[in-house]
Amino acid sequence: MYGLPEGVTLAQTLAVLLPIGVVTVALRWLPFAFVAALKDNQFFDLLARMMPVGVMTVLVVYTLFGQRSAPGGLVAALIGVAVTLGLHAWRRDSGLSILGGSLAYMGLVNLVF
Amino acid sequence: MTPAFPDVRAGLRDAWAVALGLVPLGLAFGLLMTQVGFAWWWTPIFSVLIYAGSMEFLAINLVMAGVGPLSTALTAFMVNFRHIFYGLTFPRHLVRGRAGRAYSTYSLTDESYAIASAHPPRSGTQVLTIQLFCQAMWVVPGIIGALVGEVIPAGIQGMEFALVALFVVLAWETFRGSRDLSLPLLAGGLALVAGLVLPGQMLMVALSAYFLVLVGRHLSPALDRRLEWRV
């Protein structure tokens, strides 16, 4: 129904899309409305410095947890991460690292495991 | 009044290199959407309702896992929090008219912020050209990827790993902003514990806990110094 994956309802989809859309636009709009409160605020400076890397690390672990049930499990996923990191250390080309890491992982789960 | 056309050209000239970088990710996003089971036209709906690349990828996971609106909102807040800083310096004031400004706010992505910071635009037309071009270079490849995904067989496994790789690269790049090793170690440790203890609420628990650690580091400079591990 509604072109959704099996077992996914329209309500479930909108319950994800709409909150994300609203929160994202609100975050983009806030600084225009509250420039004075946000500029040179120490706590915000700290968040700007420390939040992104932590959030991205949480997301790496979260997405890795999702790969545990896939064929090849965590071992294949960790090899994929190592290839991604290696490529990124070598060339620092985001597209290449993501593509190379994904292809390595896909090769493992389709051909090896 | 300056003629609009040169400003459009200037906007495209400043934006094309960054926007081109969006194409492979857009293709991958569309591909993943149809491989997971969405009809192709859901791809532009995702990209218009959300329009934040990494969050769109993550939204696929959240929908499939049936995560509720509150957890979703909190996750979006943490993941997209960085956007709150962009408006402080983004030249939206150059854009005239309510509709133009509303669009400029809505489409203030990492990429349009980066372009406007590297090449300060001279006019509102130039600002909007950059933002419209970036969104087009994200939405159109997404649709193409989705259509390709509908015709290739679903037997190929592991495409969803692109999301893991994307966050690995983003973690690497954001690490360079602080070079403080305690941040990814703390975040990774909290995520691991949350995932093992409360797998159903993993994202919300890990992100909230990490946020509390940062509040603690702000309130106690001694704690902050003790944790800091610069490399």
Side-chain angles (χ1 to χ4, degrees):
Chain A
M1 261 298 247
Y2 306 114
L4 292 166
E6 214 156 304
V8 172
T9 64
L10 185 62
Q12 190 180 330
T13 309
L14 294 180
V16 167
L17 294 190
L18 296 178
I20 298 177
V22 170
V23 168
T24 305
V25 172
L27 285 169
R28 288 173 182 166
W29 168 77
L30 275 170
F32 295 113
F34 301 98
V35 180
L38 297 181
K39 236 177 192 161
D40 305 319
N41 178 315
Q42 276 195 335
F43 183 49
F44 271 87
D45 288 347
L46 178 136
L47 291 182
R49 236 178 28 250
M50 299 189 169
M51 201 139 136
V53 59
V55 171
M56 294 309 159
T57 310
V58 168
L59 291 174
V60 169
V61 178
Y62 171 73
T63 48
L64 278 175
F65 261 70
Q67 299 299 109
R68 283 184 311 176
S69 51
L74 214 49
V75 177
L78 288 176
I79 296 174
V81 169
V83 172
T84 309
L85 281 173
L87 283 171
H88 207 65
W90 178 41
R91 301 295 289 267
R92 258 194 93 203
D93 176 343
S94 301
L96 176 80
S97 314
I98 294 168
L99 188 71
S102 305
L103 287 177
Y105 177 81
M106 286 166 66
L108 283 173
V109 295
N110 286 293
L111 305 174
V112 182
F113 288 100
Chain B
M1 192 185 147
T2 47
F5 187 64
D7 288 351
V8 171
R9 267 217 329 228
L12 292 177
R13 186 198 58 217
D14 295 341
W16 77 269
V18 173
L20 221 57
L22 287 167
V23 172
L25 270 182
L27 286 170
F29 174 66
L31 206 59
L32 195 57
M33 282 288 286
T34 43
Q35 288 283 309
V36 164
F38 285 97
W40 69 269
W41 45 265
W42 272 104
T43 304
I45 295 179
F46 269 57
S47 298
V48 169
L49 280 181
I50 299 180
Y51 192 35
S54 49
M55 201 59 226
E56 290 176 41
F57 274 99
L58 197 58
I60 302 178
N61 274 34
L62 299 178
V63 169
M64 302 303 283
V67 174
L70 259 170
S71 287
T72 301
L74 186 107
T75 302
F77 179 79
M78 295 288 290
V79 173
N80 284 336
F81 188 79
R82 62 187 189 281
H83 289 112
I84 208 170
F85 304 101
Y86 297 167
L88 295 175
T89 49
F90 190 78
R92 190 191 70 156
H93 55 88
L94 295 173
V95 178
R96 305 250 166 95
R98 289 177 73 92
R101 285 195 179 191
Y103 178 75
S104 187
T105 308
Y106 153 82
S107 59
L108 184 40
T109 56
D110 299 319
E111 288 76 19
S112 44
Y113 170 74
I115 295 164
S117 303
H119 313 276
R122 292 185 314 261
S123 72
T125 307
Q126 199 172 339
V127 172
L128 289 177
T129 302
I130 291 168
Q131 294 191 280
L132 277 164
F133 186 56
C134 283
Q135 191 166 19
M137 293 294 266
W138 171 252
V139 176
V140 174
I143 293 173
I144 295 171
L147 291 171
V148 171
E150 281 201 335
V151 295
I152 62 170
I156 303 169
Q157 289 182 311
M159 234 173 256
E160 75 287 349
F161 188 82
L163 184 59
V164 183
L166 168 70
F167 290 130
V168 167
V169 166
L170 288 174
W172 176 297
E173 290 297 324
T174 48
F175 176 71
R176 298 170 52 84
S178 63
R179 307 197 65 83
D180 181 349
L181 210 53
S182 73
L183 301 171
L185 287 177
L186 275 168
L190 289 169
L192 213 56
V193 172
L196 294 173
V197 178
L198 286 162
Q201 305 291 323
M202 174 177 181
L203 253 187
M204 192 158 101
V205 170
L207 290 175
S208 313
Y210 183 69
F211 187 78
L212 289 179
V213 169
L214 296 189
V215 172
R217 291 179 78 147
H218 171 66
L219 294 177
S220 161
L223 174 72
D224 185 42
R225 271 193 305 274
R226 183 164 300 176
L227 289 175
E228 189 172 3
W229 182 4
R230 280 189 192 272
V231 289

